[in-house]
Amino acid sequence: MARNTSTDDPLASVTLAVGQEDLLLDRAVQQVVAAARAADADTDVRDLTADQLQPGTLAELTSPSLFAERKVVVVRNAQDLSADTIKDVKAYLGAPAEEITLVLLHPGGAKGKGLLDAARKAGAREVACPKTTKPAERLTFVRQEFRALGRSATPEACQALVDAIGSDLRELAGAVSQLAADVEGTVDEAVVGRYYTGRAEASSFTIADRAVEGRAAEALEALRWSLATGVAPVLITSALAQGVRAIGKLLTARGGRPADLARELGMPPWKIDRVRQQMRGWTPDGVSVALRAVAEADAGVKGGGDDPEYALERAVVAIAGAARSRRG
């Protein structure tokens, strides 16, 4: 059995980091190493890939030392371990060595699930490292990063940073760290704009904002810049869909204060105010036209058409046209 350690203790005999988000996996390792070195500055860290952990290697690494040194053994891509090495690891889980912390990194899923199950059954400390696939998850991540650094940022600033940087958590974390180091007081949207103007203007959500506001030329300019800088077309169609759906939701919602509508529609109050400004004059028919355009573009960028860029341009023009028609 594993040592009787708290599941929140980074010095637990075994830590299982599960997921596909590289930044979170690295942080899980860093937390264990930092705790070990805080306990013993001379901690020996062995960071191995699956192919480096051959049968018998784990026994060598975890064998008693004359100097009783603390050691951290990190095994990356544990799902790729050979069958014989997995037997070694499972045997070790039943009788882990003192002063040694084993960290297993596993993406989850079916491959290597037997090792996952064995580690969990042995009482391993588990750290979830899921891939962030939704904008709301990235927004939560940014907020948590600011809080972890003891800094405050407005909701608008957090959203602007996600819009500007995109889906890469490493880049988001780096941007938060830079802003926290350079800016005094609360970080607001204007500050984010000054630091990341070029990227923010080319973000997928800025394309959507300009399109639903009827500003076709600006939306197309931002679209071309985004594509030129490597923004994935599926992220752009997703942003366009969110922009149009937000207008549709607010059109059919009961009137009320932003806070009440926010609870009803699942949007932050500041976004309610922004969408209200964008939706003036929009009609349900216009929303239907725009949603059809987004659906056609989505099919086009996912293999249903020969030219994803053209599919996106058509969608942007159609949405902006629906927005212009709102003014009569």
Side-chain angles (χ1 to χ4, degrees):
M1 293 294 290
R3 292 194 302 273
N4 184 22
T5 52
S6 166
T7 55
D8 294 328
D9 181 7
L11 292 181
S13 57
V14 181
T15 286
L16 190 61
V18 183
Q20 300 179 37
E21 184 54 66
D22 290 340
L23 174 66
L24 300 183
L25 290 167
D26 284 346
R27 284 185 172 181
V29 173
Q30 291 164 7
Q31 183 188 32
V32 172
V33 171
R37 287 185 168 155
D40 181 354
D42 295 325
T43 294
D44 181 21
V45 178
R46 303 295 181 92
D47 197 325
L48 308 172
T49 56
D51 62 318
Q52 292 175 311
L53 196 69
Q54 297 298 316
T57 303
L58 184 61
E60 294 175 10
L61 291 174
T62 58
S63 60
S65 167
L66 290 174
F67 303 100
E69 64 181 351
R70 182 177 290 278
K71 186 178 294 184
V72 175
V73 178
V74 179
V75 181
R76 298 181 183 271
N77 301 314
Q79 77 281 2
D80 294 329
L81 291 171
S82 69
D84 287 339
T85 302
I86 288 177
K87 290 179 182 177
D88 288 350
V89 176
K90 288 182 176 179
Y92 177 81
L93 293 172
E98 293 291 335
E99 303 299 316
I100 292 178
T101 299
L102 175 65
V103 184
L104 300 173
L105 276 59
H106 194 293
K111 188 176 182 181
K113 188 174 183 298
L115 180 58
L116 275 181
D117 293 341
R120 287 165 174 159
K121 186 176 180 180
R125 167 181 176 261
E126 186 165 343
V127 180
C129 305
K131 197 77 175 175
T132 55
T133 58
K134 299 178 181 178
E137 294 171 344
R138 293 190 283 275
L139 185 60
T140 298
F141 174 80
V142 168
R143 290 170 176 162
Q144 292 172 341
E145 289 292 291
F146 276 115
R147 281 198 295 268
L149 293 172
R151 299 301 306 276
S152 60
T154 66
E156 296 86 349
C158 293
Q159 183 65 62
L161 196 58
V162 171
D163 291 350
I165 301 298
S167 61
D168 192 306
L169 289 199
R170 288 189 190 279
E171 291 195 23
L172 284 170
V176 170
S177 180
Q178 180 183 28
L179 290 169
D182 293 355
V183 179
E184 295 182 0
T186 300
V187 177
D188 59 21
E189 188 175 14
V191 169
V192 174
R194 286 199 301 272
Y195 272 73
Y196 300 99
T197 298
R199 298 180 69 166
E201 288 178 351
S203 75
S204 55
F205 287 98
T206 298
I207 297 168
D209 285 342
R210 299 297 85 80
V212 299
E213 291 162 2
R215 296 154 66 178
E218 293 177 40
L220 288 171
E221 182 181 359
L223 170 64
R224 288 161 188 154
W225 182 264
S226 291
L227 293 172
T229 54
V231 176
V234 292
L235 295 179
I236 298 173
T237 55
S238 175
L240 290 171
Q242 289 183 53
V244 175
R245 286 171 185 155
I247 287 173
K249 285 181 179 180
L250 211 53
L251 274 176
T252 57
R254 299 186 300 273
R257 298 176 304 168
D260 296 331
L261 287 170
R263 285 191 293 272
E264 179 184 344
L265 302 179
M267 298 180 190
W270 64 266
K271 188 171 183 179
I272 296 291
D273 292 334
R274 177 180 290 180
V275 176
R276 271 179 165 169
Q277 294 173 3
Q278 294 173 332
M279 63 172 280
R280 290 171 185 160
W282 271 89
T283 66
D285 287 343
V287 171
S288 296
V289 168
L291 286 175
R292 283 197 298 272
V294 172
E296 291 172 1
D298 189 56
V301 303
K302 291 179 179 177
D306 296 329
D307 190 341
E309 183 173 339
Y310 178 62
L312 288 169
E313 288 180 354
R314 286 184 58 190
V316 165
V317 170
I319 293 168
R324 284 197 300 272
S325 70
R326 63 186 177 164
R327 301 185 180 94

